[in-house]
Amino acid sequence: MSAQTNRLPNEQEFQRGLRSRQARGTLWSRLFFAANFFGLFMLIILVLHILNQSFGLVIIRNNVEPATLSETPLEDLNREQLARILVSNLGNASRAILRDSLSIVPVEQFTTVPLDEALGDAVLPPGARSQTIGQVDNEILISILAANFSQDDLYAFVVDRIVQPRVERSWRLLDSIFSRSEIEAVAATEEFANDRLEFRAWLNLDFITSSASSSATTTGLRTALLGSFWIIGITILVAFPLGVAAAIYLEEYATDNWVNRLIEINLRNLAAVPSIIYGMLGLAVFVRILVYLTSGRFTGLNDTNGRTVLSAAFTLALLILPVIIVNAREAIRAVPPSIREASFGLGATRWQTVSRQVLPAAVPGILTGVILAMSRAVGETAPLIVVGASTFLGTDPNGPFSKFTVVPIQIFQWTSEAQPEFKLAAAAAIIVLLVLMLTLNATAIIIRNRFSRRLF
């Protein structure tokens, strides 16, 4: 008893040790607070810097003035009038609009096959179905354009391909606010006498709803946004059930043998593999080996290229699958054993116990892993470039077998352009991407919290 008492610290030593632990705890607490404050401060600076580039004064110069095309403002013209302006000013180049936007055959075949085969489900005059694109006259071409494009699309074509507004000079938001008089003096010089000075919000509704173009003033994010939605949607539909099912098997059913231990080791290692390796795997498996499936050839589509939304979604599903499995296993493992024992004690089977007791209790933790995996997938670029994402795409994806691009790749493409105005469009796209990620994460968090409230 005396020996045990001698090993205990006296009051002075206890107080000294307690003060030491408190000092270390205070130090680490302050370091943690400082690190969070610094990270939040840098994030605010980054967002403000991006916002500063997304708004500002610009000097716009048109290649063709809209007043020379029509006495009526272009935005007030109907579809036939806009189509007529396109054909009369572009000539044969207006036929490329049909090729780029509606054609379902390879580019080299577009001029040699009948229109009903080249344009698929497009609305065509009866007499034009058996003709090739080179055989139709201008009036039929006008009717085809007016029948297959909305007024907004035709207006965008006129502005992008005929009016061709371009930014001659641009200023950022802070300069536009605090140096406006100097900017107006520059705009009044002879060099810019025929141009117009306007305040431009690069982040606006037209930017979100317009497709990409070769002009920074008319380019938009719609095609990339739709591509991101298609890919993320299919990715979650594939990865979530597979990941949860694998976690349930490994945690509740798998026996402790070398095969399952090897699987566990590989899962944890795969979570740290660089994403471009998954891109190479997706290129080899989904784009080439499984091309009959991923290209949609089994449905009768003529395009045999496997670089589609489906290939990209399968690749990202493989990328986030280890993250979902590891987090789901941890969530299932955290469920108290007493819940399982009580369920078994009442005569429930293993599957009834897992599906009705363990899995509902683990849902909040599982959804946390899904949130992390989804955030990683939304911002991925390297594997999608390898799989075949387009750096410039003017047609919207309309299904799992469509060509695609995504918001991060569109941002990369704009920042690589020689025109500095494209970098302002990229800044606006970055804000959209941040809002998209925050929205997706907030939705998942709300769902997780709702499940948590149901359990307790």
Side-chain angles (χ1 to χ4, degrees):
M1 183 69 180
S2 59
Q4 183 178 1
T5 304
N6 292 336
R7 287 198 295 269
L8 294 175
N10 56 38
E11 181 65 21
Q12 185 178 5
E13 292 174 339
F14 175 79
Q15 292 297 331
R16 189 187 308 118
L18 180 62
R19 287 193 298 270
S20 176
R21 289 193 296 272
Q22 290 176 340
R24 289 196 299 269
T26 302
L27 175 62
W28 283 110
S29 176
R30 290 176 179 176
L31 287 176
F32 177 77
F33 175 80
N36 280 275
F37 178 80
F38 178 76
L40 181 61
F41 176 76
M42 295 305 297
L43 180 61
I44 293 173
I45 294 296
L46 175 62
V47 172
L48 291 178
H49 176 70
I50 296 172
L51 287 173
N52 187 40
Q53 297 185 74
S54 302
F55 305 89
L57 290 170
V58 294
I59 295 178
I60 301 291
R61 177 177 298 172
N62 295 326
N63 185 52
V64 176
E65 291 299 326
T68 64
L69 299 175
S70 172
E71 295 180 357
T72 306
L74 294 179
E75 56 269 21
D76 295 335
L77 298 179
N78 59 35
R79 291 189 292 178
E80 183 178 351
Q81 291 170 323
L82 291 170
R84 192 171 297 279
I85 290 175
L86 281 171
V87 174
S88 60
N89 285 271
L90 297 179
N92 287 331
S94 60
R95 304 170 193 266
I97 297 175
L98 297 176
R99 180 197 65 197
D100 297 338
S101 303
L102 301 177
S103 177
I104 61 172
V105 298
V107 175
E108 60 273 10
Q109 297 180 15
F110 179 71
T111 58
T112 60
V113 299
L115 286 178
D116 60 348
E117 180 181 343
L119 301 183
D121 297 331
V123 179
L124 300 172
R129 292 186 175 276
S130 59
Q131 294 179 319
T132 64
I133 189 64
Q135 294 173 336
V136 299
D137 58 30
N138 286 344
E139 289 301 321
I140 293 178
L141 183 59
I142 291 171
S143 65
I144 295 174
L145 289 170
N148 291 280
F149 293 100
S150 66
Q151 192 269 349
D152 291 337
D153 289 334
L154 292 171
Y155 173 76
F157 288 142
V158 171
V159 173
D160 186 31
R161 305 194 182 206
I162 301 176
V163 178
Q164 295 181 353
R166 64 182 183 273
V167 177
E168 293 296 316
R169 292 282 299 275
S170 62
W171 291 268
R172 298 180 179 181
L173 179 60
L174 293 179
D175 296 330
S176 301
I177 295 174
F178 298 107
S179 304
R180 187 179 180 91
S181 57
E182 291 86 346
I183 295 173
E184 291 176 343
V186 172
T189 59
E190 184 178 355
E191 181 183 359
F192 305 112
N194 297 323
D195 305 326
R196 68 181 188 276
L197 176 68
E198 64 180 36
F199 184 85
R200 182 178 180 86
W202 295 91
L203 178 59
N204 53 43
L205 184 61
D206 289 338
F207 175 75
I208 296 174
T209 59
S210 300
S211 60
S213 72
S214 57
S215 172
T217 57
T218 58
T219 193
L221 200 62
R222 183 186 68 198
T223 302
L225 272 175
L226 291 175
S228 292
F229 285 138
W230 270 104
I231 291 173
I232 293 301
I234 297 176
T235 297
I236 294 300
L237 287 177
V238 173
F240 180 72
L242 285 179
V244 174
I248 291 173
Y249 168 76
L250 291 173
E251 198 63 34
E252 299 291 335
Y253 290 92
T255 58
D256 186 16
N257 54 42
W258 67 272
V259 175
N260 291 322
R261 287 196 296 270
L262 182 63
I263 292 175
E264 292 183 12
I265 294 173
N266 286 329
L267 280 175
R268 296 186 181 277
N269 290 336
L270 286 172
V273 170
S275 60
I276 196 169
I277 304 300
Y278 286 96
M280 296 172 65
L281 177 64
L283 176 65
V285 177
F286 302 125
V287 176
R288 295 180 178 172
I289 297 176
L290 299 180
V291 63
Y292 185 76
L293 170 65
T294 56
S295 67
R297 201 185 306 171
F298 68 96
T299 64
L301 294 179
N302 294 326
D303 187 2
T304 58
N305 191 339
R307 301 176 183 272
T308 61
V309 167
L310 199 60
S311 296
F314 285 165
T315 302
L316 288 186
L318 289 180
L319 174 67
I320 67 174
L321 199 56
V323 178
I324 293 178
I325 293 175
V326 170
N327 284 277
R329 290 193 63 192
E330 294 295 333
I332 293 172
R333 189 178 302 159
V335 176
S338 57
I339 293 180
R340 296 178 178 84
E341 294 169 358
S343 179
F344 289 140
L346 293 174
T349 64
R350 181 177 292 276
W351 173 243
Q352 289 174 331
T353 300
V354 171
S355 61
R356 300 179 185 180
Q357 302 298 327
V358 176
L359 196 56
V363 163
I366 292 174
L367 289 180
T368 300
V370 173
I371 293 170
L372 296 174
M374 185 172 58
S375 299
R376 181 181 180 184
V378 169
E380 281 296 341
T381 303
L384 299 183
I385 292 178
V386 176
V387 169
S390 302
T391 54
F392 181 86
L393 187 64
T395 56
D396 298 337
N398 55 11
F401 308 117
S402 303
K403 296 178 181 178
F404 70 95
T405 189
V406 292
V407 175
I409 292 178
Q410 189 68 74
I411 294 171
F412 170 76
Q413 192 264 333
W414 282 337
T415 56
S416 304
E417 292 285 345
Q419 293 178 258
E421 287 71 32
F422 274 107
K423 295 178 175 59
L424 304 181
I430 290 172
I431 296 177
V432 175
L433 181 61
L434 289 174
V435 172
L436 174 62
M437 293 183 65
L438 290 175
T439 302
L440 292 174
N441 286 346
T443 303
I445 291 172
I446 291 171
I447 295 174
R448 182 188 67 186
N449 292 339
R450 186 178 296 274
F451 272 100
S452 298
R453 287 197 297 268
R454 287 179 180 178
L455 291 174
F456 301 103

